[in-house]
Amino acid sequence: MIEWWKEEEYRTVAFLLLGGISLLLSLFQWKIGSLDPAWVAVILCGLPIIREAAEGMITAFDIKADLLVAMALIASVFIGEIFAAGEVAFIMMLGSLLEERTVEKARQGLENLVQSSPQKARLVIGEKESIVDAGAVKEGNIIRVLPGEIIPADGIIISGQTSVDQSVMTGEPIPVDKEEGDFLYSGTLNQMGSFTMKATQSGKNSSLQKMIRLVEEADASKAKIVGIADKMATWIVLIALLAAVFTYLITGQIIRSVTILVVFCPCALVLATPTAIMAAIGNSTKRGILIRRGDALERMSEIDTIVFDKTGTLTYGKPSFVHSEINSGVEEEDFYHLIYSLELCSEHPLAKALTSQLHCENPCPVENFQMFGGKGVEGKIQNRMIRIGNREFVTQEVDKIPQNMEEVARNWEEEGATLLFVRLDQEIAGFLVMEDRIRSDAKEAVNQLKALGISCVMLTGDQEKAACHIGEEAGLNQVVSGCLPKDKMDWIKGEQSKGHKVAMIGDGVNDAPSLKQADAGIAMGEIGSDIAVEAADAALVRDDLLALPHLFGLSRKTKKTIQINISISLILNGIAIVLAMTGILNPVIGALVHNTGSVAVIIHSALLLRWAKKEKEENLELFFTPKL
């Protein structure tokens, strides 16, 4: 079944087709008996405009461009110029359709965010366990959470150990090990162990529900762009009426006054913005940029600050094995083989990431395998005891880490990397470095954005050392770490209060409030969550950061194109008005002449389809590159 808004859109297209055919028949003077076919365009395209103008005036005394169009239609019909009336109605309905195609679609992202909320909870009362709605959980309730389940409320672990993917809240790529006394966010994913927790916040006070409210508030506070013709509507109507009345009083010819109303219709003004935006959207699509809201291009043209999320945006968003340090007395092949064999027995996300990269053949059988939550694993392979995990766990009851290895380990830790130390029997055999790597195109993208005069900032929930390391590699102007969703949103609000225009680039659910709050939100479309994409104004389909300089350059070019379109329409309308006042133009010829401006606007906007950014211009000046 077709949704109501789609039905209305299809009906408009059908009216335009019928109206266009009727105007062609009228232009070639084909009659239906004695009836002018242009009446079809007047009725199908004109009546909706007259109705909307009347409703706006009566219900809210709201003067829009539709009012002048309605006046021109009625006046043209009154003096028998049916073709002029139908032609004006057709152009205005076409402009309205193009404008509607560029506005915001249904806010599906918020609905997805609501649907991602935990639905059920395992409530523990005494020795009994029952499944209840997550909304029924109260503060102080005891809840059991099994592997693979979403944590239904904020709370504290009272028994058990686990590893939690809390990227939905913090954006951290590496799951966090949790044990008794640790805090948990609602909406995050329990990946491993079973545990029991005590709810501290639930329902509307939980972290996830607070995030949903942030998205709603940010979306409501973002002003929508008003069409240029409607902004100028009051003045256009006033000037048109004064000119028409003045001409009639001087000449006594009503046809001249009607012609003025016809040529004064802001057809080109109505088309100035939507045609440019539609062409820019076509251009960006070829570069792998999906623009979801046409009005965002106008906002992007004024951006002076870009805020990046770290994980999944500037980085690839998953832990990778990037380096190893092996003790001189250990064979490299044996080192990797033993690690691979032991980690195959583990369900920990770091173990899975490691084994997917090592790819050793013929793993050895493991005896007495044990997993120590939040610490590491150990087992026996070929009569040798192997332990892999964090520094404290691995170095228990053994000699200190060799000095040369210790210095290297400290350097990696200062950069925020995760280190997995390895012990063979009572000897430290080495360590592995796991890190979320920076994207290969991040630094070049940042450099090009800075060349456009845009300040580049990173806001992340990650720890300070890891954040500063990535920020330095990417060449950012500023790095802010340890940010929860509300912190990111508040930082953006602070910059906006200083007069800055801020864009946000993110990929996760935790970025949705900031994407909404920012003057322009851009999501990583390939790796990003559906919620982030729906909350954004645009999405990078291929996660190509080098598309960002093109996007912001294109937005500036689009704004210039719109300004030129407006100038074209005003100049041509001005000339047509003078000719109409002197009697050189009649309503039919006047309608055709004044709509020359509409054609000029459409052709000028179409140039954006093939616009490109010059690659080696020092100041990245933007220009149109013709296709040879």
Side-chain angles (χ1 to χ4, degrees), residues 303-319:
I303 294 299
D304 57 37
T305 304
I306 291 182
V307 172
F308 290 90
D309 174 49
K310 180 179 91 67
T311 305
T313 303
L314 286 172
T315 68
Y316 287 103
K318 56 185 178 181

Side-chain angles (χ1 to χ4, degrees), residues 170 172 307-310 457-471 476 478-485 487-488 491:
T170 66
E172 291 180 284
V307 172
F308 290 90
D309 174 49
K310 180 179 91 67
V457 181
M458 181 171 73
L459 303 182
T460 177
D462 217 340
Q463 56 176 305
E464 183 178 0
K465 290 180 179 179
C468 290
H469 173 61
I470 295 297
L476 299 171
Q478 185 180 353
V479 174
V480 183
S481 60
C483 296
L484 291 176
D487 299 324
K488 294 181 181 181
W491 191 94

Side-chain angles (χ1 to χ4, degrees), residues 258-279:
V258 173
T259 303
I260 289 172
L261 293 178
V262 170
V263 299
F264 230 124
C265 283
C267 297
L269 271 178
V270 169
L271 294 172
T273 298
T275 54
I277 289 176
M278 292 290 282

Side-chain angles (χ1 to χ4, degrees), residues 168-185:
V168 67
M169 292 300 299
T170 66
E172 291 180 284
I174 299 176
V176 180
D177 293 327
K178 300 284 187 177
E179 56 186 15
E180 290 183 21
D182 286 341
F183 180 80
L184 300 168
Y185 293 107

Side-chain angles (χ1 to χ4, degrees), residues 87-88 91 265 267-268 572-573 590-600:
E87 190 263 353
V88 169
I91 290 291
C265 283
C267 297
L572 290 180
N573 269 22
L592 293 174
V593 169
H594 115 274
N595 280 320
T596 302
S598 301
V599 174

